[in-house]
Amino acid sequence: MTRTTVVLSLTALLSLAAVACTDPTVAPKSSITSANVFSDPNSYKAFLAKIYGGLIVTGQRGPDGNPDIEGIDEGFGEYLRLYWYLQEMPTDEAVIGWNDPGLPTLNTGTWDASNQMVNAMYYRVFYQVMLVNEFLRQSTDAKLAERGHTDAALVANVHTYRAEARFLRALSYWHGIDLFGNIPLVTENDPLGAKPPAQAARADIYAYVVSELNAILTDLPTGGPGIDATYGRATPAAAHMLLAKLYLNAEIYTGTANYTGAVTEAQAVINSTPAYSLATNFRQNFSADNNTSPELIFVAAQDGGNTQTWGGMTFLIHAGCGAAMSAGSYGVDYCWGGYRMKQQAFRRFGTGDGRAAFFWLPDSALAHHDTLANGQPAQIDSVISIGDFHHGIPAPKFTNKTVAGANGQQSGMVDTDFPIFRLADAYLIYVEANIRGGGGDPVAALVYLNAIRQRAYGNTSANFAALPPVDTILAERGRELLFEASRRTDLVRFGVFSTSSYVWAWKGGSAGGAALPTGRDLYPLPANELIANPNLTQNPGY
């Protein structure tokens, strides 16, 4: 299927060994130099493509063979897959039965500073940052003039590319502070090869990211639904959405809430021109042709022919089915038997909620009537055993089939894009921030909330008569955004991720759930980083 050219694969540009540490003051390693790379006017677009591709592909060849980062299986070391693991597995939504290094303790919230998945995510964040910093160093007006690249159209395009790169750096820094808290802040203005970087306060990086996003708003390419040239690229709507996310979580990042900012930025997304709209069919957002959805604001774009990876959507689609499920029903060659839904998430969906239509019940614990080891009946939708795919509810939200039922280009690699930002989330941000006192119009907030409910139920039967308590929005976000890599952030914001006030299956290592160890609202900095960089201080509890 057609995808924007910005995500096409790029061969042999950059590679980084992340076995021990990631020093963001060092340029990414390459077999070629800036002198010969950037002598070609087309290199600027190609380099930007590599930065975009860093969200979904794993190296220089695809799907494997020349990885960006080392020290982890290349398929596991993909950005989106790692981010999904860290955002979903320790929560009330997902469990995965594999025993690959790092996964078992993510299931239970008992990871340490040597966890391979946690460490690889840290490296991925800074790999992206280093790519952007190098691109910005090499694409200034002075550098362009020095190379004789003075064509007005090229210069204008490079200015746009620079804004997009800064957006992608802001996105990764948001992931960095959300997951790890205080981390180094390094930009293109920091000298290469300097001493190890200092650790910046989370609030300072937050402020930097906010300033960056506001600075580039007018320089990003104009986009919207139906504009193929900017699909998958950073647009003003994507920047407003990222600002809304930052402001919604500002109290966590800085100690000071900014729900007013969240309302303002969510409204900017809702008022975008061309206007985004809720897809009539909820499933259109997660199908092989979801690039046609009018709802998707920013995606990690994947194409079965051009962006091949064993991570990303290849993982999410293959690993979402297993046991007696038919792989062909999801447009893939075989099921990996990976993640399932925990009972807490399953029980959140009411009768008639169409968002549960993709749950697959025939071979789940519901059908097997599983019992506990002592022979007593268990909750038949419960994750009694993490390693058994029958325990829990398979919920293959993502599929390599089109809305009309056709298969994607291939059955191994997939065509489905991952929805990083979509309009329904903007609606929910507006609603939550309004309820929390951020201003805006409560009548509009109720309309936005009920629009989501009406799509889910197909009618007005589940509409709210008035705005509900804010905790209701946490539940609604769980229904609407299931498996979309937002749950951990939401649970932290609502103050229930690590505490005993709300427990779920295997939280804290107990089948029935318990409080997480101290400090689990943040992941640890990699142990190797602390050895390599004496400027870093580990997060509390590790």
Side-chain angles (χ1 to χ4, degrees):
M1 54 189 305
T2 301
R3 289 287 187 270
T4 178
T5 56
V6 80
V7 299
L8 294 181
S9 58
L10 179 65
T11 303
L13 183 60
L14 298 164
S15 64
L16 172 70
V19 178
C21 67
T22 301
D23 187 348
T25 66
V26 176
K29 297 176 183 178
S30 176
S31 60
I32 47 184
T33 67
S34 61
N36 55 42
V37 171
F38 291 101
S39 63
D40 182 354
N42 295 318
S43 63
Y44 303 97
K45 185 176 183 179
F47 203 123
L48 180 66
K50 172 61 182 176
I51 304 171
Y52 274 107
L55 298 175
I56 201 74
V57 297
T58 55
Q60 313 308 310
R61 286 174 46 177
D64 51 36
N66 191 1
D68 290 329
I69 65 172
E70 297 178 357
I72 188 171
D73 177 273
E74 187 171 344
F76 281 99
E78 187 260 356
Y79 196 113
L80 174 60
R81 184 171 180 174
L82 292 166
Y83 186 64
W84 191 92
Y85 280 152
L86 269 60
Q87 285 285 77
E88 291 290 348
M89 286 179 55
T91 76
D92 58 351
E93 290 193 348
V95 65
I96 194 164
W98 302 337
N99 286 317
D100 301 271
L103 293 183
T105 55
L106 282 179
N107 277 320
T108 58
T110 56
W111 56 78
D112 60 23
S114 297
N115 184 283
Q116 287 193 14
M117 302 301 171
V118 174
N119 291 357
M121 186 68 226
Y122 184 90
Y123 298 141
R124 271 291 171 194
V125 165
F126 279 104
Y127 183 73
Q128 287 291 98
V129 168
M130 286 187 287
L131 289 181
V132 174
N133 287 347
E134 183 64 10
F135 178 74
L136 294 177
R137 292 185 192 104
Q138 299 296 337
S139 60
T140 63
D141 286 345
K143 287 287 188 181
L144 293 175
E146 179 184 308
R147 300 178 185 120
H149 297 161
T150 57
D151 177 76
L154 174 63
V155 172
N157 284 337
V158 170
H159 286 174
T160 301
Y161 299 159
R162 287 173 60 86
E164 292 177 72
R166 290 166 71 183
F167 169 86
L168 291 168
R169 182 174 60 185
L171 180 70
S172 286
Y173 266 133
W174 171 50
H175 292 158
I177 63 170
D178 186 73
L179 296 169
F180 299 103
N182 301 333
I183 57 176
L185 172 60
V186 182
T187 75
E188 72 277 15
N189 298 317
D190 290 291
L192 290 171
K195 60 184 180 180
Q199 189 170 18
R202 197 184 202 185
D204 291 340
I205 302 177
Y206 166 92
Y208 171 77
V209 171
V210 167
S211 68
E212 280 284 281
L213 291 169
N214 281 308
I216 63 176
L217 276 170
T218 59
D219 296 325
L220 293 168
T222 302
I227 302 179
D228 290 341
T230 53
Y231 179 79
R233 294 173 65 183
T235 63
H240 284 299
M241 190 70 182
L242 182 47
L243 282 167
K245 291 277 196 178
L246 286 158
Y247 292 149
L248 185 67
N249 295 284
E251 189 168 9
I252 299 298
Y253 304 149
T254 71
T256 302
N258 188 4
Y259 298 117
T260 300
V263 165
T264 299
E265 296 300 331
Q267 190 67 68
V269 174
I270 295 166
N271 291 343
S272 294
T273 304
Y276 295 92
S277 60
L278 295 183
T280 303
N281 183 343
F282 179 69
R283 297 287 289 164
Q284 185 180 3
N285 294 311
F286 318 105
S287 64
D289 56 348
N290 61 348
N291 60 305
T292 64
S293 170
E295 187 172 342
L296 302 190
I297 297 163
F298 185 66
V299 302
Q302 188 164 338
D303 180 287
N306 294 310
T307 48
Q308 296 189 348
T309 173
W310 294 113
M313 297 304 295
T314 305
F315 155 71
L316 283 172
I317 294 173
H318 283 81
C321 66
M325 300 167 71
S326 168
S329 298
Y330 307 101
V332 293
D333 47 6
Y334 64 97
C335 292
W336 294 0
Y339 63 92
R340 300 95 66 199
M341 186 170 48
K342 291 174 182 170
Q343 61 266 31
Q344 286 78 19
F346 174 69
R347 297 171 192 171
R348 193 174 294 128
F349 290 81
T351 302
D353 191 335
R355 292 170 296 192
F358 58 88
F359 297 173
W360 201 86
L361 304 180
D363 198 34
S364 69
L366 283 169
H368 283 269
H369 301 287
D370 292 306
T371 58
L372 298 174
N374 62 7
Q376 296 300 310
Q379 293 289 338
I380 57 176
D381 56 355
S382 298
V383 181
I384 302 168
S385 168
I386 291 176
D388 190 338
F389 192 81
H390 292 138
H391 295 159
I393 305 296
K397 186 172 189 175
F398 307 99
T399 177
N400 192 37
K401 281 185 172 289
T402 67
V403 170
N407 290 331
Q409 295 177 82
Q410 302 185 38
S411 60
M413 300 298 161
V414 304
D415 286 343
T416 314
D417 303 329
F418 184 81
I420 294 176
F421 298 143
R422 60 185 178 93
L423 183 64
D425 194 2
Y427 282 176
L428 289 169
I429 290 172
Y430 187 101
V431 173
E432 180 184 337
N434 175 266
I435 294 172
R436 289 184 183 273
D441 183 355
V443 175
L446 183 60
V447 169
Y448 298 149
L449 180 58
N450 282 335
I452 292 171
R453 302 280 288 179
Q454 287 166 25
R455 177 175 66 179
Y457 285 84
N459 53 51
T460 61
S461 62
N463 277 18
F464 289 100
L467 286 175
V470 72
D471 286 352
T472 303
I473 305 306
L474 177 62
E476 191 65 24
R477 289 184 66 83
R479 288 183 282 264
E480 180 68 23
L481 302 175
L482 176 75
F483 292 165
E484 293 183 52
S486 68
R487 191 59 176 173
R488 176 199 149 274
T489 300
D490 291 344
L491 292 170
V492 170
R493 184 174 66 258
F494 277 81
V496 296
F497 178 70
S498 59
T499 69
S500 61
S501 61
Y502 172 38
V503 296
W504 49 82
W506 298 105
K507 178 178 179 179
S510 166
L516 294 179
T518 301
R520 270 3 188 228
D521 281 0
L522 286 174
Y523 285 102
L525 304 183
N528 286 333
E529 291 297 299
L530 299 177
I531 297 171
N533 184 352
N535 296 322
L536 300 181
T537 299
Q538 184 59 281
N539 289 323
Y542 295 101

